[in-house]
Amino acid sequence: MKQAPVNWRKSTRSQNTTNCVEVGCVAGGAAVRDTKDRAAGYLAVPAQHWGRFVAGVKAGRFDG
């Protein structure tokens, strides 16, 4: 995944909070970065892993 991410968008779960993440598109996957520290870089993952992560979030697997 050497392509720079494009089409960054703020997570809908981050609305009205200071803990924000953005998701961007990369060839074959997704990238995630901290909205407050964009210069720190991003984490890119293959589409298969991103899909599993999103499914886990929707299922409440990461709720405290």
Side-chain angles (χ1 to χ4, degrees):
M1 292 190 204
K2 297 180 190 248
Q3 170 201 5
V6 295
N7 300 326
W8 287 104
R9 62 195 181 281
K10 187 176 175 182
S11 169
T12 56
R13 300 265 184 185
S14 295
Q15 301 301 326
N16 301 320
T17 181
T18 58
N19 299 319
C20 304
V21 296
E22 294 175 321
V23 178
C25 297
V26 293
V32 182
R33 69 181 177 189
D34 183 345
T35 302
K36 294 181 292 185
D37 192 6
R38 293 178 177 131
Y42 57 88
L43 171 68
V45 295
Q48 175 183 355
H49 296 173
W50 182 249
R52 285 188 207 151
F53 172 72
V54 171
V57 170
K58 289 180 178 180
R61 271 186 61 202
F62 306 106
D63 293 349

